Amino acid sequence: DSTLYLFDLPVSGLPEASVIKVIELFSRLKDSGNTVVTVENNLTFLAGCDFCFEVMIEEVATVPFKRRSYVLQ
């Protein structure tokens, strides 16, 4: 059986060495046939992902943001 794991900011506040360990752990979960979905903004963590979907809103507190969406493989 496979499992879907959902994480919200799993590496928030962690030092770089710990972020790399979390990436390795999530890779093992995935390699075991599971699915791992996270919400994260750490660039080191994102670089270790198979897929990355960037979701942005157009406006926050009346400050416009450029909309950029990427799918990385």
Side-chain angles (χ1 to χ4, degrees), residues 3 17 23-24 26 33 38 43 48 70 72:
T3 302
I23 292 169
E24 292 168 353
F26 284 4
T38 66
L43 295 178
Y70 304 98
L72 306 176

Side-chain angles (χ1 to χ4, degrees), residues 9-48:
L9 301 173
V11 299
S12 179
L14 294 179
E16 186 90 6
S18 295
V19 171
I20 293 169
K21 288 181 182 180
V22 172
I23 292 169
E24 292 168 353
L25 171 67
F26 284 4
S27 290
R28 281 184 280 163
L29 286 171
K30 180 191 64 102
D31 293 344
S32 296
N34 301 294
T35 301
V36 180
V37 177
T38 66
V39 175
E40 188 53 72
N41 55 19
N42 180 290
L43 295 178
T44 300
F45 183 86
L46 294 175

